Amino acid sequence: MPRTRLSICQRKQRFASEEDAVRAALAATIDLRPYACDRCGQYHLTSRLKGKRRLPLA
């Protein structure tokens, strides 16, 4: 898996837990998935779906 670029990590909103990131993804108006960032150790959201697991239905 490619490493998250530092510039991308710094621009994105951070979530302390996967649960918080999932909640934000479910509330969004577009399809987003959370992922653990290998730079900051927290969670971000991405609109890229390849290789990302599906979110539970709300």
Side-chain angles (χ1 to χ4, degrees):
M1 177 179 272
R3 188 171 170 106
T4 305
R5 288 194 329 247
L6 183 58
S7 61
I8 299 295
C9 174
Q10 290 173 333
R11 280 197 318 254
K12 289 190 169 193
Q13 182 174 357
R14 293 179 177 148
F15 298 92
S17 70
E18 185 176 21
E19 183 179 301
D20 290 342
V22 167
R23 219 181 342 258
L26 291 172
T29 57
I30 61 172
D31 196 10
L32 296 172
R33 300 286 193 273
Y35 69 94
C37 179
D38 56 0
R39 290 279 182 177
C40 68
Q42 295 186 332
Y43 291 85
H44 299 298
L45 299 178
T46 184
S47 60
R48 293 190 180 201
L49 304 179
K50 185 176 179 181
K52 304 287 188 244
R53 63 190 162 112
R54 297 192 65 85
L55 292 175
L57 296 176

